[in-house]
Amino acid sequence: MNWDLSALFSSIPEAEEFLKQAIFRAKEFEKKYKNRLYTLTPEEFVEVLKEYEDIWENIGRSLTYIFLEFATDSSKGNFLAKFQELATQAEEHLIWFELEFIHLPIDKQQRFIDNAGVYKYYLIHLQEEAPYKLSEKEEKILMKKDLTSSSAFTRLFDETISKMKFFYGGKYLSEEEILSKLYSGDRNERKKAQVSLTLGLKEKAELFAYIYNQIKKDWKIDYVEIRGYEDAEAPRHLSNRVSKRSVDALVKSVNENTQIVADYYNIKKELLGYETLYDYDRYAPIKLSDKEEEIPFEKAKEMVLNAFKNFSQTFYEIAKKAFDEKWIDVMPKEGKRGGAFSHSATPQAHPYVLLNYTNQRRDVFTLAHELGHAIHQYLAKDVGYLNQDTPLTTAETASIFAEMLLFEEIKKSLSKEELIETYAAKLEDIFATLFRQIVFTNFERKVHKFDELKVEDFNKIWMEENQKMFKDSVVLTENYKLWWSYIPHFIHSPFYCYAYSYAQLLVLTLYQLYKEGFENFEEKYIKFLSQGGSLPPKKQFAELFGLDIEKEDFWEKGINFVREMLNEFKGLVNDYSKQ
C-alpha cells in the first residue's frame, strides 16, 4: 500500500502555488495588523489570531506535502529545499505577531488570554518563551540562517543515510533491510548483518561526525549563546512543557534500575543456550514454538484492528479509516526514508503514516505504534493547527498505549512457549523505548558539552553509556562503537529521546489504571487525546486521572510495572524449564 496524498494536493506545482498564495496572505496580514495589536479588543484579537492560524496551517499543508514526497523519494530534495525557502518568505511576515504579543503591557496580554478560549494555553506558553525571544530583525536573521545551518545538515544526513547501501549475501540492502537482519533467528546472519552495517557506517563516519558536530554547535549558538537558555537542554524542556527537575528525576530513576535490563538479558542468554551474549544477539528471537515467524501486512492489519476494537470503537474506526483511505505507505523501496513515523499534517487533511514493513513481529508493533500516533493526531484536529501538536513528553502516549493493547490481544490465544516469546519481545520493546532512550539522553548530555569531537570520542562515550545499561549481560564488540552515527534523533531533534521514556512510564501508569477498571477510563482517555497540546500535561493528568507527574516518586510506579512484567516472564520461563 502506498499513501494517497490527494487530501493535501494532487501535484508539486499545485502545492507550490498554494504556498505562494500563503506568502501573499502573510504579507497582507502584516500590513493590516502589525503595530496594531494594542488597539484591538479581546474579541477582535481572537479573530486576528484565527487568521494568523489559518495562514500557518496553509504553510504547514504545503510543507507536509513536499516532506511526504521527499520521505518516499529522496531524489526530491531540491523541491524540499525550494519549499523551505518559500515557507521562510511567508514566515518572515508572520514572525512579528508573537513578538508583538509578548511585548504588550501585561494587563493587555491577560485580557487577551482570558478571552482566548482554546488558544489560552498557546498564549500562556508564548509568555513562558518571552525571555528567550529576540527582536524581529534578529529572529528573521536566525530564520534565514537556519536554511544553511541545522536544516541543511539535517537534509545532508537524511539524503546520505537514505542512499546508503550495505553489502550482504551478495547484494546491497537499504538501512532498514540490514537492520531487520539483526532480528534473524540465525546467529551467523545477525553477525554478518552487524559487520555489514558497521562497514557501511565506517565509510561515512567522518561525515556523520562532522554533521553531528555542526548540529551541536548550531544548537548551542542559537539557544545558549544567542537566546540565553541556561544550558543546551533547557529549550527542549520548555517546548516539552516539563521541568528540568522532573526530567532529572526520570533519568535518575531509569539509570538506577538498569539491573532490570541486565537480568532480562541473562535469562535470554540461557534460553538461547549461549555462553556469551554479544550485541548482535540482543534482538535474536526467542523461538520455543514452531509457529510461523513472518507476519504478512494484511494479517498485521487484522491483529491491530482487533486489538483497537476490543478497547474502543473510536480507536477502531479511526484506524480502519487510515487503511481504507490510504493514509499509510507500507513497504521499503529505493530512496525511501528508513524507520517509521506518523505526520500530523493539518486539521483540514488527516495524519500520514510511513512504515518500512518487513513481515517481522516487531513491524506489527510498529504499525500499532504509528497508528496510535495517527489516532491521537486525528482526535486533536478540533483544537486547531496551533494546538494540535502535543509536547514530545505526551506525544508518545497513544502510540505506546496502542502497543500495549496489541500485546494484550496477542497474549490471549498463545501456548506457554508462544507466551514466553511474546513477553520477551514486549520487554525488549519496552527496553528500547525506556532504558535505551535514556542511554541516548546520557550520551547526548555528554557529547553536547563539547564543541568538536572526533569519531573516536563519539565512539568512546557511546560504548561507555551503553555498557552501563547492559552491565555484564551483553558483550559490546568493537563493531558496535559506530552505531551512534545512524540515530536520526541526534540530528533532527537534540534531546528528543528522553520524551520516549517519559511517555513510556506515563503510559504504563495509565495502562495500569485501565486494567484496574478506573472509572470512565475510555471516555477520559479519549478526551485527553482530543485536547492535543491545548493544555499543559500536568493539568491534563491531574484533572482527568488524579496523577501528579511532577512528584519525584511518580516514575517508580512505571518502573515497578516493568519489574512486574519481568517477574511474570521469569515465572513463565521457570515453569517451562521444569517441563
Side-chain angles (χ1 to χ4, degrees):
M1 179 191 296
N2 297 323
W3 52 30
D4 177 3
L5 301 183
S6 62
L8 295 165
F9 298 102
S10 60
S11 66
I12 291 177
E14 182 187 359
E16 183 178 340
E17 181 58 34
F18 192 80
L19 184 51
K20 288 177 179 177
Q21 292 174 14
I23 297 172
F24 175 78
R25 286 191 63 192
K27 290 178 179 178
E28 292 300 304
F29 181 81
E30 181 180 40
K31 288 177 186 176
K32 191 173 181 180
Y33 297 114
K34 187 176 181 182
N35 297 323
R36 289 194 59 238
L37 293 187
Y38 74 96
T39 69
L40 302 177
T41 65
E43 292 74 22
E44 290 170 336
F45 178 78
V46 170
E47 293 306 311
V48 172
L49 184 54
K50 288 178 181 177
E51 185 176 346
Y52 172 77
E53 177 182 50
D54 189 55
I55 299 171
W56 270 112
E57 182 168 356
N58 288 351
I59 296 169
R61 182 176 165 188
S62 301
L63 288 178
T64 295
Y65 178 80
I66 199 63
F67 169 75
L68 295 177
E69 287 278 9
F70 175 68
T72 52
D73 184 357
S74 61
S75 69
K76 293 179 178 176
N78 59 321
F79 290 108
L80 178 63
K82 183 178 182 180
F83 273 58
Q84 287 174 335
E85 290 176 9
L86 289 172
T88 298
Q89 290 179 37
E91 292 163 14
E92 285 177 351
H93 298 284
L94 298 172
I95 199 170
W96 63 271
F97 181 83
E98 292 184 354
L99 296 172
E100 189 167 321
F101 171 79
I102 63 176
H103 287 108
L104 291 172
I106 293 298
D107 60 334
K108 187 75 170 180
Q109 289 183 36
Q110 195 58 50
R111 285 198 295 274
F112 286 168
I113 288 171
D114 291 341
N115 189 61
V118 72
Y119 301 104
K120 181 176 181 178
Y121 183 55
Y122 164 74
L123 296 175
I124 290 173
H125 189 59
L126 291 184
Q127 289 182 322
E128 294 171 343
E129 291 180 324
Y132 311 107
K133 292 289 187 180
L134 308 174
S135 70
E136 183 180 346
K137 183 177 181 181
E138 290 169 322
E139 291 288 353
K140 286 183 177 180
I141 290 171
L142 287 182
M143 188 182 295
K144 280 189 172 292
K145 189 265 309 177
D146 183 62
L147 293 173
T148 55
S149 55
S150 59
S151 66
F153 284 110
T154 298
R155 176 185 164 189
L156 176 60
F157 175 85
D158 286 346
E159 290 186 359
T160 303
I161 205 91
S162 68
K163 292 175 182 175
M164 287 178 67
K165 296 296 178 185
F166 302 88
F167 190 73
Y168 178 91
K171 59 182 180 179
Y172 289 93
L173 303 181
S174 68
E175 176 202 5
E176 194 69 25
E177 289 170 327
I178 197 66
L179 288 174
S180 74
K181 297 294 183 184
L182 295 172
Y183 293 80
S184 169
D186 185 324
R187 195 179 201 187
N188 189 48
E189 283 190 11
R190 295 195 303 273
K191 188 173 182 179
K192 286 197 300 183
Q194 181 234 41
V195 172
S196 176
L197 177 63
T198 302
L199 290 175
L201 294 175
K202 190 174 183 179
E203 289 182 12
K204 304 292 184 181
E206 294 293 339
L207 174 61
F208 288 149
Y210 179 77
I211 291 172
Y212 198 2
N213 279 320
Q214 300 316 305
I215 291 289
K216 293 191 297 93
K217 286 179 186 177
D218 190 67
W219 185 268
K220 181 181 178 182
I221 290 169
D222 272 11
Y223 290 103
V224 180
E225 296 177 9
I226 295 178
R227 296 190 181 279
Y229 284 94
E230 50 268 39
D231 56 50
E233 289 182 52
R236 184 65 67 198
H237 301 332
L238 182 58
S239 68
N240 282 343
R241 279 59 156 189
V242 296
S243 67
K244 186 177 187 300
R245 179 181 176 184
S246 70
V247 175
D248 287 344
L250 164 72
V251 172
K252 182 173 183 288
S253 181
V254 175
N255 283 336
E256 288 178 348
N257 285 281
T258 52
Q259 189 61 47
I260 293 173
V261 178
D263 287 349
Y264 167 79
Y265 279 108
N266 279 322
I267 296 172
K268 182 170 186 173
K269 178 171 59 179
E270 293 178 10
L271 284 171
L272 292 174
Y274 296 161
E275 290 187 9
T276 303
L277 203 68
Y278 292 101
D279 53 76
Y280 52 80
D281 296 319
R282 288 174 302 143
Y283 303 130
I286 293 175
K287 196 65 181 165
L288 305 177
S289 67
D290 296 326
K291 191 173 181 180
E292 178 60 40
E293 189 173 24
E294 290 200 349
I295 303 172
F297 181 71
E298 284 302 314
K299 177 62 176 176
K301 171 183 171 181
E302 178 186 340
M303 293 164 67
V304 171
L305 286 176
N306 285 340
F308 287 178
K309 193 169 189 176
N310 289 337
F311 167 65
S312 163
Q313 186 67 20
T314 300
F315 265 48
Y316 169 78
E317 288 175 357
I318 297 173
K320 189 172 185 304
K321 194 178 180 71
F323 289 114
D324 293 345
E325 297 181 5
K326 298 182 178 179
W327 299 3
I328 311 172
D329 199 278
V330 179
M331 300 299 179
K333 56 189 172 187
E334 185 75 23
K336 182 177 178 179
R337 171 176 165 166
F341 65 72
S342 179
H343 195 297
S344 58
T346 75
Q348 293 178 16
H350 54 69
Y352 281 92
V353 171
L354 180 138
L355 303 174
N356 278 276
Y357 196 85
T358 57
N359 296 329
Q360 303 299 309
R361 179 187 288 167
R362 66 189 178 93
D363 294 324
V364 187
F365 279 96
T366 299
L367 174 62
H369 181 100
E370 299 305 339
L371 281 175
H373 275 308
I375 290 167
H376 195 172
Q377 292 159 348
Y378 188 81
L379 287 169
K381 282 173 42 167
D382 290 344
V383 295
Y385 186 74
L386 294 178
N387 285 317
Q388 71 171 6
D389 290 337
T390 62
L392 295 176
T393 39
T394 53
E396 299 295 330
T397 310
S399 56
I400 298 172
F401 194 91
E403 288 189 57
M404 293 303 297
L405 293 174
L406 177 63
F407 178 61
E408 290 297 326
E409 175 69 16
I410 288 176
K411 283 168 55 177
K412 291 177 183 177
S413 57
L414 300 181
S415 66
K416 185 173 293 184
E417 290 82 2
E418 291 167 347
L419 203 54
I420 290 173
E421 295 169 3
T422 304
Y423 259 85
K426 188 57 193 166
L427 279 167
E428 289 182 28
D429 285 340
I430 290 175
F431 293 163
T433 309
L434 177 57
F435 292 98
R436 188 167 183 252
Q437 300 302 322
I438 294 302
V439 169
F440 288 175
T441 301
N442 294 336
F443 173 74
E444 284 190 284
R445 283 182 161 184
K446 285 195 173 181
V447 300
H448 272 263
K449 291 179 181 178
F450 303 93
D451 287 337
E452 190 85 25
L453 289 170
K454 296 178 180 179
V455 172
E456 294 75 19
D457 301 322
F458 284 115
N459 293 350
K460 182 175 183 293
I461 296 170
W462 175 254
M463 293 291 274
E464 288 173 350
E465 294 306 321
N466 277 271
Q467 198 67 70
K468 288 176 185 176
M469 177 178 71
F470 293 116
K471 304 186 188 308
D472 62 352
S473 65
V474 176
V475 174
L476 300 180
T477 67
E478 277 292 297
N479 283 335
Y480 187 74
K481 66 185 181 182
L482 276 172
W483 288 19
W484 56 269
S485 62
Y486 75 88
I487 308 298
H489 292 324
F490 295 158
I491 307 301
H492 290 195
S493 307
F495 300 105
Y496 176 101
C497 295
Y498 76 78
Y500 281 109
S501 305
Y502 209 107
Q504 177 77 76
L505 293 186
L506 285 177
V507 171
L508 294 180
T509 301
L510 285 177
Y511 197 76
Q512 188 63 31
L513 291 180
Y514 164 57
K515 290 181 70 176
E516 291 171 355
F518 188 83
E519 186 177 2
N520 298 323
F521 180 85
E522 181 192 348
E523 176 187 341
K524 291 179 178 180
Y525 188 58
I526 296 294
K527 182 177 180 180
F528 164 76
L529 298 178
S530 300
Q531 290 171 341
S534 64
L535 289 172
K538 183 175 181 179
K539 183 178 178 67
Q540 288 178 290
F541 279 94
E543 292 183 353
L544 293 172
F545 305 108
L547 299 173
D548 185 352
I549 64 174
E550 292 293 324
K551 282 190 175 181
E552 290 192 10
D553 64 352
F554 172 79
W555 305 112
E556 290 303 316
K557 296 176 183 178
I559 292 289
N560 287 337
F561 186 96
V562 181
R563 187 178 289 110
E564 183 56 35
M565 277 193 69
L566 178 63
N567 288 336
E568 291 171 8
F569 176 69
K570 286 180 180 177
L572 289 168
V573 172
N574 287 338
D575 288 346
Y576 175 76
S577 300
K578 293 174 183 177
Q579 291 181 176

